[in-house]
Amino acid sequence: MIETLETNLDRGVVSPSHPPIIGVVEMAASSSALKAGTILKLSSGKYSGASASDDPAAVLAQDVEAHADGTVNARVLLHGLAVSSRLLTGAQAAATDTLKNKLPATGIYLTQAVWDESNFN
């Protein structure tokens, strides 16, 4: 399922300067909450927070509460521009350059800040 940016932009993670592709994915069980901007990995058909040693698959575009079981779906950035300073690891720490540098292979590119036409008026 692909949705428009207007319903998903959260915490300034996704830059609207390039049309993003936002999808809804199933999250793996997690004992802690994940914030928008968390870089995610894909394992066994479910998404979870990534670390520097993982291959990223998406960026979380909304906050997700802790959930020990059950199905939780979340909106994620699958393709587009993500604001570098807003990205987090699965441990909710600032994402390392090692992890961020793997994102372009997934179709997610980094920008320094969100901008739009109003910046030039």
Side-chain angles (χ1 to χ4, degrees):
M1 169 186 237
I2 296 177
E3 299 183 17
T4 62
L5 174 66
E6 291 77 22
T7 57
N8 298 301
L9 185 61
D10 190 19
R11 296 185 188 272
V13 173
V14 179
S15 173
S17 60
H18 175 76
I21 296 176
I22 303 287
V24 177
V25 301
E26 186 175 346
M27 299 295 294
S30 175
S31 61
S32 60
L34 298 176
K35 293 181 183 176
T38 301
I39 298 173
L40 303 174
K41 64 181 178 180
L42 177 62
S43 178
S44 301
K46 296 184 180 184
Y47 289 75
S48 60
S51 66
S53 63
D54 294 319
D55 291 325
V59 173
L60 195 56
Q62 69 178 74
D63 293 347
V64 174
E65 295 297 322
H67 56 286
D69 56 14
T71 299
V72 173
N73 293 321
R75 293 175 181 94
V76 299
L77 175 66
L78 297 169
H79 171 80
L81 290 174
V83 178
S84 181
S85 63
R86 307 277 179 155
L87 298 178
L88 302 167
T89 66
Q92 301 303 277
T96 63
D97 287 342
T98 300
L99 185 56
K100 288 193 252 185
N101 289 339
K102 295 178 184 179
L103 284 169
T106 69
I108 298 172
Y109 302 93
L110 303 178
T111 186
Q112 296 304 313
V114 174
W115 66 271
D116 60 31
E117 290 181 19
S118 66
N119 292 356
F120 301 102
N121 295 329

